[in-house]
Amino acid sequence: MAHETRIKVRGYHLDLFGHVNNARYLEFLEEARWNCFEDSGALPQFLQSGLGLAVVNINIDYARPATMGETLVIETGVKSIGNRSAVIHQRVLLDGSDTLIAQADVTFVVFDTRANKAVVLEGPLKEAMELIQAKSA
């Protein structure tokens, strides 16, 4: 089962058309990714490692507008793991239904903040990613 994060749509999320602005979905997706890593238990060790996850591509498909007062469920799972990168798949659903609001594939590389370069995805970080992937299968 994919990790789930709930977000209630507030007035400040909306654009002039009365629905969630497309740029806000980036924030919703990021919040859900942080929650997923935090809930996996790997976040403290990861933050101390000097590594970062640098997003290099986001592909979002919008299916239906979300409006004020609705609660969204963001499902987050690891889609694939490569040598230096991984892809996280996220779906935004209307809470309590199968109604798809949006879905995204987020590709990131593992970045060594001290060496200022991308590095191999290995060790405890890779193990954490594999655990998240197994739970979302």
Side-chain angles (χ1 to χ4, degrees):
M1 178 176 174
H3 182 274
E4 293 184 351
T5 298
R6 284 177 170 67
I7 295 177
K8 185 167 183 173
V9 176
R10 308 288 184 189
Y12 62 88
H13 295 138
L14 307 180
D15 60 18
L16 294 175
F17 301 110
H19 55 69
V20 174
N21 183 280
N22 66 71
R24 287 290 184 168
Y25 287 99
L26 294 172
E27 295 171 359
F28 293 172
L29 296 171
E30 184 172 19
E31 176 73 19
R33 288 192 306 275
W34 274 94
N35 284 342
C36 181
F37 282 109
E38 190 173 58
D39 290 348
S40 77
L43 189 60
Q45 180 181 6
F46 175 68
L47 292 174
Q48 294 173 357
S49 72
L51 299 175
L53 300 179
V55 173
V56 294
N57 181 276
I58 298 179
N59 184 356
I60 303 175
D61 294 316
Y62 300 98
R64 173 197 178 273
T67 58
M68 191 161 82
E70 292 181 329
T71 299
L72 307 178
V73 176
I74 302 161
E75 297 177 344
T76 302
V78 175
K79 182 177 180 178
S80 63
I81 301 170
N83 187 41
R84 294 181 186 263
S85 65
V87 177
I88 293 178
H89 182 72
Q90 296 180 279
R91 294 187 337 141
V92 181
L93 302 166
L94 187 61
D95 192 23
S97 77
D98 290 331
T99 303
L100 181 67
I101 303 295
Q103 61 184 336
D105 284 327
V106 181
T107 304
F108 63 87
V109 297
V110 181
F111 191 79
D112 184 326
T113 58
R114 293 172 271 210
N116 199 31
K117 67 177 185 175
V119 296
V120 174
L121 174 54
E122 60 186 359
L125 177 57
K126 184 173 184 178
E127 292 168 11
M129 298 296 295
E130 288 170 340
L131 182 59
I132 294 168
Q133 185 178 35
K135 287 182 179 179
S136 59

